[in-house]
Amino acid sequence: MDLTDRPRRLRTDGVRPLVAETDLSASDLVAPVFVDATTDERVPIETMPGHERVPVEQAVDRVEEITETGVETVILFGVPESKDPEGSRAYADDGVVQRAIRRIDAETDATVIGDVCLCEYTDHGHCGVIEESAETDPTLTVKNDETLDLLAKTAVSQADAGADVVAPSAMTDGQVGAIREALDDAGHEGVAVLSYAAKYESAFYGPFRDAADGAPAFGDRRHYQMDPANRREALREARLDAEQGADVLMVKPGLPYLDIVGDLRREFDRPIAAYNVSGEYAMLHAAAEKGWLDLEATALESLTALKRAGADLIITYFAEDVADHL
C-alpha cells in the first residue's frame, strides 16, 4: 500500500497528547455545593453518591475540600429552614445561601456563584409566584412578571453577601434584564450574570430535586422550561439573555444537548457553560456499581465531550474526582 496520509502517525504515545484538540483542566470545572439550614451535620444524598448536604457551619470546610483538588469555583444551592408561597427565604439577608456565601467569601479564595431561583424555597416547589388556578387548571403555572422582582431581590441579596456571579435558572422571560438592572442599581456592576439560557424540562434532573428538596408539589415545569424537542428556540432564548446583559450563557442538561452547546458556541462570542446534571452523574455511578462501565474513564470522556462541543466551563458533580486526574 502506498498511503501518503496516515492519521495514525499522530496517535503514538508521545505525539497524541501534543496534537490533542481539546484540553480539559480543573479550572474549567464548577462544583455544586448544597447548604442545608435544617441540619447540624452532613447528610448523604442517596441518589448522588459521594455528595452531601452540609450545614452552614461546615460550608467553608466543604469548599476547602473542593479547592484542594484544583477546582476554583463553586455554585451554591440552599435548603431553607422554612418555605412559603413566595419563597421569601431565597432573598432573606439571613437566608441559608447568603450566610454560607459570607463565610466562604471571608475565609476562602474560591469564586462563588449563587444559583438564583425560587423552587427550593417555595412550598409549592415551582420557580416563582404561581397562578391562582395553577394546581387544578394551569395556563402558564408561574406568573412571569410578578416573579421578576423576587428573582432580582434574590440576586442582589447574594451579591450583597459576596457572590462573584449570580446564575438565574428560573427560565422567566426578562429575568436577566431585571437582575442586571437591580445589581447595577445596588452598586454591584462588577457581579457577573451566568444565565441558564437554554434550560430544558428534562427527566435528567431527578436526583437534584432530592438533593435540594425542590421537586414541584404538583404539576410539572413544562410551561416555563424548554421543550426537549426544540433546537432553534435555544438560540432565541440565548439571544434575548445576551441582549439583556448575560455575561455567560449556559445549556442545561449537558450531554443530551451537545448540539445546543455547539449551536451557542458558533452563534455567540460570550463564554458558554454546560451543566453536567445530576441524572448524568447518577446513571454513570449506577452503571459503574454494576461493573458495566469504568466510572473515572466515562466521567472524563463525558466532560471532554462537553468541552469539545464548545463549553468553556462545566458545572459538574464529578468536579473533584476528575480534577484529581487532570
Side-chain angles (χ1 to χ4, degrees), residues 51-183:
H51 285 271
E52 304 167 312
R53 296 181 183 180
V54 300
V56 173
E57 292 72 22
Q58 294 189 38
V60 169
D61 292 340
R62 179 72 190 102
V63 170
E64 288 178 338
E65 292 168 5
I66 292 168
T67 57
E68 285 173 1
T69 69
V71 175
E72 302 168 353
T73 306
V74 296
I75 182 169
L76 298 190
F77 300 93
V79 179
E81 60 271 48
S82 62
K83 302 187 179 191
D84 57 46
E86 289 76 37
S88 61
R89 298 305 298 171
Y91 42 88
D93 289 340
D94 62 347
V96 58
V97 164
Q98 288 79 0
R99 286 186 285 141
I101 290 173
R102 288 189 182 95
R103 290 170 179 250
I104 295 165
D105 182 56
E107 300 182 43
T108 79
D109 294 325
T111 300
V112 178
I113 303 173
D115 180 77
V116 178
C117 197
L118 302 176
C119 59
E120 300 148 48
Y121 304 90
T122 55
D123 54 12
H124 46 73
H126 283 283
C127 302
V129 179
I130 58 173
E131 301 171 321
E132 289 74 9
S133 60
E135 185 168 0
T136 57
D137 185 26
T139 300
L140 289 173
T141 306
V142 169
K143 295 181 178 180
N144 192 91
D145 294 8
E146 291 87 336
T147 298
L148 293 177
D149 181 56
L150 303 185
L151 295 173
K153 288 171 65 176
T154 301
V156 170
S157 71
Q158 292 179 357
D160 286 344
D164 302 287
V165 182
V166 293
S169 60
M171 288 302 288
T172 305
D173 291 346
Q175 63 181 7
V176 171
I179 287 170
R180 183 72 269 161
E181 181 179 1
L183 288 172

Side-chain angles (χ1 to χ4, degrees), residues 256-277:
Y257 298 86
L258 290 174
D259 57 329
I260 310 302
V261 176
D263 287 348
L264 265 61
R265 174 70 289 150
R266 287 186 291 273
E267 186 74 15
F268 299 97
D269 60 2
R270 286 164 173 73
I272 303 300
Y275 201 137
N276 180 228
V277 300

